[in-house]
Amino acid sequence: MSSIRPFRIAVPDNELADLKDRLARTRWPEPECVDDWSQGIPLSYTRELADYWANSYDWRAREAALNRFDHYTTEIDGLDIHFIHQRSPHQDAFPLLITHGWPGSIVEFHKVIEPLTEAGFHVVCPSLPGYGFSGKPTTTGWGVGKIAEAWDELMVRLGYDRYGAQGGDWGAAVTTQIGRNVGSCIAIHVNMPIAQPPAEGVGEMTEDLQKALARIDYYRKWDSGYMKQQSTRPQTVGYGLTDSPVGQLAWIVEKFWSWMDCDGNPENVVSKDEMLDNVMLYWLTASAASSARLYWESHDTWGGGGYVSVPTGIASFPLEILRAPRAWCETGYNVTHYTTMPRGGHFAAFEQPELFVEDVKTFFATVR
């Protein structure tokens, strides 16, 4: 346990002053030629968020709120990994590893960590390599498979010889890989399962199936440009995002608008402060390029892989970017629990923390 080091978020004042100065000197483009988000995040809303960021957002208060959790770092295979380790007061608490994706961070889970510990889980919430306060890989190889192995080593290092894992987005990819054959994980729960239409055809065209296919079609046509860029040239996109706070904000918040179940305004489900908390974990750590490299490393992860034989729980949110009916999931997972959620999108724990916590509790109660 000596290799586990306490960590506290403490951003120097000069970095906050630099941010404010850069925001004041933003070189703005002309407005979009439409009256909606179809060309990207609108200029007026971006200016509104940037003004709030510069003049109303209080990082020190937000920093203190994040520091209410127990943060640590540890070195795994030469890389510093940052994580929250929040222990439950319950004697028989079950260890639960929860992993975020892109463009998320540990901020996604700030509303569910305490309810989960109160419900009887020891929560371990790491920052992906190249994200947030984790180290940035300097060599290739830190893809989903290696991260899954590192996460299992982390859990063993913390003293857990059996645990559950949960994730969405890249967190779902890592969790799925853990559930295939890695270490001491006994069950997994995902809110974005890696599943595709079966090769032999989709079968009867039900309403749910129509919606799933429509979401895939929309994503491919209109919503996947970021993925192509980050999976092919992550270094190139990193220069602009690392240099411009408004650029980084726009790159992330557009996805909140598109991927959240928010009726056209992300502030219907999360606050400006919450969105900016997440943006700050990219901006303060200059992790635009290093986070994007995970796409370069593991883009093909979404195309296949071995069967997950451990019990698997799936929460299907209606506006998930890639919805997968249960029949699709059962070709790749041992699905023992499947919940069709009434509302919510891609950022499940961020958008619908109560629904998320309840489903996680219900599923893991069947395997503990």
Side-chain angles (χ1 to χ4, degrees):
M1 295 299 291
S2 61
S3 60
I4 306 294
R5 305 179 299 275
F7 176 86
R8 186 170 180 81
I9 305 171
V11 175
D13 288 339
N14 67 302
E15 292 190 21
L16 301 180
D18 175 71
L19 169 60
K20 192 175 182 69
D21 179 63
R22 287 172 183 266
L23 288 169
R25 294 186 295 106
T26 300
R27 185 185 183 195
W28 295 97
E30 71 283 355
E32 61 281 359
C33 304
V34 293
D35 61 358
D36 55 27
W37 288 61
S38 61
Q39 291 187 344
I41 183 171
L43 177 64
S44 60
Y45 187 56
T46 310
R47 280 186 171 275
E48 178 186 330
L49 287 177
D51 179 73
Y52 183 87
W53 198 2
N55 300 306
S56 301
Y57 177 76
D58 183 354
W59 168 251
R60 291 305 181 201
R62 309 304 292 181
E63 182 181 69
L66 289 173
N67 277 328
R68 75 186 186 274
F69 301 123
D70 298 327
H71 295 255
Y72 301 89
T73 61
T74 191
E75 184 180 311
I76 300 177
D77 202 9
L79 192 71
D80 275 346
I81 299 298
H82 161 261
F83 62 98
I84 291 170
H85 184 199
Q86 208 68 23
R87 291 183 178 274
S88 171
H90 297 281
Q91 290 288 334
D92 60 346
F94 180 70
L96 178 64
L97 171 71
I98 55 177
T99 307
H100 67 85
W102 184 93
S105 67
I106 59 167
V107 168
E108 281 186 67
F109 297 112
H110 83 99
K111 289 179 284 196
V112 303
I113 292 174
E114 287 152 329
L116 285 171
T117 60
E118 292 165 6
F121 293 94
H122 294 314
V123 177
V124 179
C125 180
S127 297
L128 288 166
Y131 288 68
F133 300 108
S134 281
K136 300 173 182 178
T138 57
T139 60
T140 61
W142 275 95
V144 163
K146 188 178 178 104
I147 295 170
E149 293 173 358
W151 275 197
D152 187 69
E153 182 173 339
L154 172 63
M155 296 301 281
V156 171
R157 191 173 294 184
L158 292 172
Y160 301 131
D161 58 4
R162 62 190 300 275
Y163 65 90
Q166 198 286 328
D169 195 87
W170 283 116
V174 171
T175 299
T176 297
Q177 185 61 28
I178 290 173
R180 287 188 173 118
N181 57 4
V182 178
S184 303
C185 181
I186 66 165
I188 67 169
H189 181 282
V190 293
N191 50 278
M192 185 178 161
I194 301 176
Q196 297 182 2
E200 63 272 16
V202 296
E204 181 184 355
M205 191 60 69
T206 63
E207 181 181 356
D208 188 54
L209 182 55
Q210 288 178 341
K211 290 179 179 178
L213 292 172
R215 291 295 289 169
I216 292 174
D217 186 60
Y218 177 82
Y219 179 80
R220 288 174 175 168
K221 287 181 178 178
W222 298 106
D223 228 6
S224 59
Y226 78 98
M227 179 190 65
K228 189 65 174 177
Q229 179 66 34
Q230 295 190 162
S231 63
T232 57
R233 301 291 187 270
Q235 189 70 19
T236 302
V237 73
Y239 295 110
L241 300 182
T242 302
D243 189 58
S244 168
V246 168
Q248 182 69 89
L249 176 151
W251 194 243
I252 290 175
V253 172
E254 183 212 273
K255 297 310 177 195
F256 286 163
W257 164 81
S258 184
W259 296 350
M260 286 180 170
D261 187 1
C262 64
D263 294 324
N265 185 346
E267 291 179 47
N268 287 331
V269 290
V270 295
S271 66
K272 282 187 173 74
D273 284 337
E274 288 177 302
M275 287 192 285
L276 290 172
D277 289 347
N278 188 72
V279 172
M280 284 290 269
L281 262 64
Y282 285 80
W283 175 256
L284 293 171
T285 59
S287 56
S290 57
S291 61
R293 286 192 199 109
L294 183 52
Y295 286 81
W296 187 91
E297 289 279 0
S298 289
H299 177 248
D300 291 342
T301 298
W302 299 104
Y307 184 75
V308 176
S309 59
V310 298
T312 300
I314 294 171
S316 178
F317 288 84
L319 286 190
E320 178 58 81
I321 59 175
L322 297 174
R323 289 187 64 204
R326 180 167 185 156
W328 298 5
C329 299
E330 288 177 338
T331 64
Y333 298 89
N334 174 22
V335 180
T336 61
H337 172 93
Y338 187 98
T339 304
T340 300
M341 290 295 185
R343 59 191 176 278
H346 184 63
F347 304 92
F350 211 15
E351 298 176 55
Q352 298 295 337
E354 294 85 4
L355 291 176
F356 176 90
V357 169
E358 187 60 34
D359 203 63
V360 168
K361 285 168 49 181
T362 300
F363 168 65
F364 282 106
T366 68
V367 298
R368 291 175 60 170

